[in-house]
Structure formats: C-alpha cells, structure tokens
C-alpha cells in the first residue's frame, strides 16, 4: 500500500511538473509575461484614477458656476428690494456706512415735543428750545452742528465692525427692542440673530437680507453694582473670565440715556468734579457704547491727528483712551457738484474744499486695552479705517464688566484725554449741543 501511495504521489508530481513546463513552453518566456501583466494592471489603475480626477474637477467647476449664478441672482434681488423701498433691518444698516430707514426713522409725536422757548441760549448760540424735552430721541431729532449728509456718512469707516447674518426677520431699526443691561452679567444677552424657521439650502436666500448682528442694551434700570468691578479685583476677574471663555457680545448702548442707577461710583456722584465745565451728579450718557468681545478692533472713522491719549484710572472712567481730531467737509463733494455753478473758463469738474468748507470734530474712543495708546503721541497722523486700538478687559477699561468702546463727538477741543461721558440733567441741553449724537457718524443703530 505504501508503494502505491508513493507511486501515486510521484505520478501526481510528474503531471504537475509537466503541466508547468508546458505552460512555460507555450509562453516562451515566463518572467517577461508576468511583468507585462503587472504593467497592464498598473496602467488600468492609473487610467481609472485619472478618470476619477477629471470627474471631480468637472463637478467642482459646475458647482462654482452654480454658486456664481446664485450669488448674482441674490445680489439682483437685493438691489431690487432696496430700490423698491424694502424695510430696514432691525439693527439698522452697517455701522458707519448705513442709510436712514424710511418710515422707521420717523420720531413719534411725544418725542418731538420741544422745551418751551426761554431766554438765553445753549451751546453754540442755539436756542435751548431746539433740545428735546424727553431723552432717547430718534436719529435726526438732535442738532447736527457738523452738517453731516447721508453721502458723507456712507463714506465714513465703521468704528466697530459688527458680524452679519442672513435673515428674513427684519424691521426698522427704531422698532428693535432693547435688552436689559442686567442680563449681560447673567449671560442672557444674546444677539438678535436670524429668525429660526424651516431649514433651507444655504444657496437659497430668497426673501433674506444681510444685517448686522447685535443687541440694543437698556441701561436705565441697571445698577452700578452689576457693571462696575472693584479695581482691587479687576485683574482677578479678567483672569476668571478668560478661563471661563467669556469675551463679551456685540451690542449698542444708547445716546441721551438717563442712567441714574448705573453711574454710582464716586466720580459720577462728586458734584465738585469739573470735566470741561460740566459738574453735578452726572447721569445722562452723551456718547454711544459699541460693545464687542475683548480684543475687538476699533477703527478711526475718518482721517485725523491724535489730540491726546492716556489712562484715566478712576472706577467708571475711560481707562485707556484716545482723542482724535478729525476734519470734516461741511458740504460733501456730491452736494457741491450738484449745486448750480457759473460756467467759466476757470471752473473745474472737481470740488476742492477750502478752509471754510471744513469743520473740526474731536472724537473720543474710550475703554480700550493698554496696547492701544502706545505710540499715540499728539500730532500723530491717523488714516480713515486705521486700527486705533482694541476693546479692553475689565482691568484696563475703567472697571466696566461689559467690554465696549465709548464713542463720543465734541464740537469743542477738550483740555486733555477726557470728556464728560455723562452729564447732569441740568446741563443736558448744553451738553447735547456740545456733544452731538454719534449716530450722525455711525448711522441708524437703533
């Protein structure tokens, strides 16, 4: 039996070797044939990869073309909506470059009640009856000592660039609701944001408009205890906030707002303290607060030169602050070109403003970080759109819990890097003439 097994195995082996040899004999060259087959397989794989790459490039080009067409369509619809008088977004148009809204920009009858005529004048020789009796008037209801036109305002650079969102939930800026200042520390502020509706494709922007995303903050009932941080604890609070990831949110604090409870520190209560001729218990805010995360860039709205810069250390003061002297044309280029001009050989098609066509304005940018004032020596030239500094944290902005930049306009040159950011009710008529509504530069924020 064993012999048969050996013979069987031998026969099998012989058959295997014979078939292998026959195969090699039929091909003539075994190794060359294997290499040829491998090369063929590699070529087929390379061809498939090339085809796949071409297909992906083709798909990418098609999507790019579709995206461009959709973008052009959205821009066309936006233009048609603007020409058709579409409503303004809830927060106004872009800060620093927006137009006034239509019906939403009108002021109510209660807001247009003026003080009764009386003897004497307020500010630059203007009768005191031009000042609104009620606080928180709408844009355009305050005197404009600089004669800023819509064309000029559109040409200004934003002081703070707010983020933007696409939304179908928009209304006139004057109709946007304000949130309480107390909600800031509680972390309930939130931004206006886009309306939450059914899901839609990111390419589908029918009926949507891009609007700046920020909240309007009401500080009338906000206590100073919730917003002012003891200087001894300021750096500790700043560290705790950084560890917790708190940086602040975008918001707007209003002009001509009576903040009797907020301004509770000694610098506001000291009636003997004199800032550029303003004394008394100061509660009426005469600037606009532009809130944002710590480190948010603050820009110069127009060309100018540094008037002064420094650090105001008192609790509730400006902290690090810069005052820039800007020169504005009292009549814009467009308005002058549209005026009737006698045709003479000396008439040019370009308007060159003369000295009498300009007005000086001093703009204060307060509550900045420490680095902002470095190199800001008096007389240093500033360009429109230049980054002046950044919004400071609580240990460098005067002790304010809510990070923001205080923006204020003055018709009179300040004595130093300071202006009365708040005035007494008794001084309010004069102050509203000296410190114009910053919305004439910023646009209709609320």
């Amino acid at each position: 039996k064993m012999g048969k097994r050996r013979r069987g195995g031998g026969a099998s082996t012989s058959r295997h070797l014979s078939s292998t040899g026959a195969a090699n004999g039929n091909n003539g060259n075994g190794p060359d044939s294997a290499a040829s087959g491998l090369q063929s397989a590699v070529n087929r794989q390379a061809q498939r990869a090339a085809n796949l790459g071409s297909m992906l490039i083709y798909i990418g080009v098609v999507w790019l073309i579709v995206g461009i067409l959709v973008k052009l369509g959205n821009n066309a619809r936006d233009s048609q909506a603007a020409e058709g008088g579409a409503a303004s977004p809830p927060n106004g148009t872009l800060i620093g470059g927006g137009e006034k809204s239509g019906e939403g920009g009108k002021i109510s009858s209660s807001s247009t009640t003026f003080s009764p005529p009386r003897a004497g004048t307020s500010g630059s020789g203007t009768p005191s009856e031009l000042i609104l009796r009620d606080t928180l008037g709408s844009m355009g209801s305050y005197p404009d000592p600089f004669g800023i036109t819509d064309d000029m305002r559109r040409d200004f650079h934003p002081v703070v660039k707010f983020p933007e969102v696409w939304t179908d939930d928009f209304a006139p800026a004057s109709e946007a609701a304000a949130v309480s200042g107390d909600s800031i520390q509680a972390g309930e502020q939130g931004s206006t944001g886009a309306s939450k509706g059914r899901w839609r494709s990111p390419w589908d922007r029918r009926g949507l408009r891009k609007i700046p995303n920020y909240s309007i903050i009401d500080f009338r009932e906000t206590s100073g205890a919730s917003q002012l941080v003891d200087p001894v604890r300021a750096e500790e609070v700043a560290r705790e906030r950084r560890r917790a990831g708190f940086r602040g949110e975008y918001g707007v604090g209003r002009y001509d707002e009576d903040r009797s409870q907020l301004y509770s520190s000694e610098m506001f209560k000291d009636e003997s303290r004199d800032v550029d001729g303003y004394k008394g218990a100061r509660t009426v805010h005469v600037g606009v607060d532009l809130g944002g995360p710590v480190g948010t860039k603050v820009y110069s709205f127009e060309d100018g030169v540094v008037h002064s810069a420094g650090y105001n250390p008192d609790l509730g003061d400006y902290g690090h602050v810069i005052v820039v002297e800007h020169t504005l044309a009292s009549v814009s280029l467009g308005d002058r070109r549209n005026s009737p001009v006698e045709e003479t050989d000396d008439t040019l098609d370009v308007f060159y403003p003369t000295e009498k066509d300009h007005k000086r304005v001093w703009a204060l940018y307060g509550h900045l970080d420490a680095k902002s004032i470095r190199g800001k020596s008096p007389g240093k030239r500033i360009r429109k759109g230049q980054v002046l500094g950044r919004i400071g944290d609580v240990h460098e902005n005067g002790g304010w819990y809510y990070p923001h930049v205080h923006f204020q306009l003055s018709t009179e040159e300040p004595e130093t890097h300071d202006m009365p950011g708040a005035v007494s009710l008794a001084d309010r008529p004069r102050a509203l003439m000296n410190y114009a509504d910053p919305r004439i530069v910023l646009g209709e924020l609320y």
Side-chain angles (χ1 to χ4, degrees), residues 70-82:
V70 171
K71 180 66 175 177
L72 293 175
N74 287 334
N75 290 342
R77 281 195 296 271
D78 291 344
S79 300
Q80 292 172 359

Side-chain angles (χ1 to χ4, degrees), residues 65-377:
I65 294 174
V66 170
I68 293 174
L69 293 177
V70 171
K71 180 66 175 177
L72 293 175
N74 287 334
N75 290 342
R77 281 195 296 271
D78 291 344
S79 300
Q80 292 172 359
E83 293 173 359
S88 297
N91 296 317
T93 47
L94 280 176
I95 175 172
E99 300 181 16
K100 293 176 62 177
S101 65
E103 296 298 317
K106 293 183 178 179
I107 51 181
S108 63
S109 58
S110 61
S111 297
T112 55
T113 303
F114 298 97
S115 302
R118 47 186 174 172
T121 60
S122 297
S124 307
T126 302
S128 58
E129 60 265 23
L130 295 181
I131 301 300
L132 291 173
R133 177 189 302 163
D134 299 328
T135 58
L136 290 176
S138 62
M139 179 178 171
S141 60
Y142 295 97
D144 176 7
F146 308 110
I148 294 175
T149 65
D150 287 341
D151 285 340
M152 295 169 67
R153 181 161 44 250
R154 280 190 290 269
D155 192 50
F156 293 147
H157 193 280
V159 174
V160 170
K161 293 181 179 179
F162 290 137
E164 295 180 303
V165 292
W166 288 94
T167 180
D168 58 359
D169 182 17
F170 48 80
S174 57
E175 296 179 9
V179 298
S180 169
D182 290 326
S183 66
I184 298 172
Q185 193 166 20
E188 302 169 356
Q189 179 189 355
S191 299
T192 55
S195 62
K196 297 180 180 179
R198 63 177 180 82
W199 180 89
R200 67 164 77 211
S201 165
W203 299 104
D204 182 8
R205 290 174 178 167
R206 290 171 295 179
L208 300 182
R209 294 188 66 180
K210 184 180 282 189
I211 66 169
N213 190 22
Y214 60 86
S215 298
I216 300 167
I217 307 172
D218 186 341
F219 285 110
R220 288 176 296 179
E221 303 297 328
T222 303
S223 67
S226 71
Q227 290 299 312
L228 289 171
V229 179
D230 187 337
V232 176
R233 294 192 60 249
E235 291 194 14
E236 178 186 351
V237 171
R239 286 193 297 268
E240 291 174 353
R241 299 204 306 186
R242 285 195 295 270
R243 284 195 295 266
F246 174 88
R247 298 187 63 219
E249 295 194 34
Y250 291 96
V252 171
R254 298 175 294 186
Y255 174 76
D256 192 24
E257 183 176 65
D258 189 3
R259 303 175 173 180
S260 57
Q261 298 185 49
L262 179 64
Y263 295 140
S264 58
S265 66
E266 194 61 34
M267 66 167 287
F268 294 106
K269 292 181 177 180
D270 185 1
E271 298 190 10
S272 64
R273 183 182 179 120
D274 186 325
V275 182
D276 289 345
Y278 288 89
K279 298 181 180 180
R282 300 182 291 118
T283 63
V284 180
H285 190 236
V286 289
V288 163
D289 295 329
L290 303 173
V294 172
T296 297
K297 293 178 181 179
V298 176
Y299 301 88
S300 173
F301 80 90
E302 186 55 277
D303 292 342
V305 296
V306 173
H307 171 272
S308 52
Y311 180 63
N312 300 1
D314 290 345
L315 180 62
D317 212 324
Y318 293 123
H320 296 91
V321 56
I322 302 172
V323 176
V324 178
E325 179 185 327
H326 301 282
T327 302
L328 308 177
S330 59
V331 179
S332 71
L333 176 61
D335 290 343
R336 177 59 66 90
R337 278 179 172 170
N338 293 331
S339 302
V341 179
E342 182 180 356
E343 293 290 340
T344 66
D345 294 338
D346 296 329
T347 301
L348 299 177
D349 191 30
V350 179
F351 167 52
Y352 295 97
T354 62
E355 190 65 30
K356 67 178 182 180
D357 294 311
H358 289 89
K359 288 190 176 181
R360 292 192 299 171
V361 54
W362 289 266
L364 182 144
Y365 305 78
H367 308 309
L368 307 176
D369 67 8
K371 294 180 180 179
S372 300
I373 65 173
R374 295 178 184 173
K376 302 298 193 305
S377 56

